[in-house]
Amino acid sequence: MRAVVVPEPGEADALTIAERPDPVPAAGEVRIRVTAAGLNGADLSQRRGYYPSPPGAPDWPGLEVSGVVDAVGDGVDAWQVGDRVCALLPGGGYAELVTVDAGLVLPVPDAVDLVEAAGLPEVAATVWSNVFALGKLAAGEALLVHGGSSGIGTMAIQLGRALGADVIATAGSEEKAAFCREVGAHAAVDYRTQDFVEAARAFTDGRGVDVVLDIVGGAYIARDLDALATGGRILSIAVRDRTPAAVDMGLLMRKRASIHGTTLRARPLAERVAIIAAVRANVWPLLADGRVRPVIDSVFPLEDAAAAHRRMESSAHRGKILLRVG
């Protein structure tokens, strides 16, 4: 099979097409003939040499795919050859074939295009496990989403709104802020020209937001705390600002607030399987009835993976970037 590998860490041009042996599903696994793979920030870090695949996973990028089951391992009853699926992976999605634990596989709803489905598993699992399972966002509460025009951001906006929350998003331009509102945010601000703390307070009539989904880290954490309501929760899922976060512990205590830092790929398999089961139960019905949809920026051929990475690095994208494989 063909795969996009990284012989030496580096810039986008380090990505190279190579032949790799076809994987064989072990007991409890399925093999998927890949139709498309989704890009994620972790792929860029892996390409640069900062975020290697976990032991046992292929050593090239790719955390989510869509496609068709073409083989099943011993003990797999839930999936059959020919099923349209998408899956959350520990790595190796930039390839024509992948094997994955059957518990990390999801059916593609009839209403969802098979290519576009590649943009769902990682964002749905990340948003559900953080904003709802850990952050316990409830109907009537307020959610602040940073990077609202990203793949994660567009899923958080849609899920928050669909489940009854009031959603405010930040973005890097007025055009992107307008896009967030089109996706479903009740309000959105250009963080380059507006203070998101003031905007969040105005949005909530001075009360503050209940949950913040933060993809920046660093100096943003203290500002997130300023924007929080009493009892609020900050979910930190990525670090773009490498400056150490400074937190006013007195303010944290007075607000009875909490800060959670999480990753997804490093979790034990059993935890990831449980997250996928929760996504299927809670998010997939919203896809089926059209209240949530994949938001796709662009689709590149597998051979143009370097161009796809450059598109992501430019921060010009809105929604998910995909690689078309099959």
Side-chain angles (χ1 to χ4, degrees), residues 83-116:
D83 286 345
R84 292 183 353 131
V85 297
C86 56
L88 182 71
L89 308 174
Y94 292 11
E96 292 177 322
L97 294 167
V98 299
T99 54
V100 60
D101 187 274
L104 298 177
V105 179
L106 290 157
V108 175
D110 291 339
V112 177
D113 177 81
L114 186 57
V115 172
E116 293 186 347

Side-chain angles (χ1 to χ4, degrees), residues 43 51 61 122 126 129 151 163 180-181 244 254 264-265 280:
D43 300 343
Y51 193 33
E122 177 76 15
T126 296
S129 63
L163 296 174
C180 292
R181 292 189 287 270
R254 289 193 298 276
L264 183 58
R265 180 161 74 163
R280 184 169 183 174

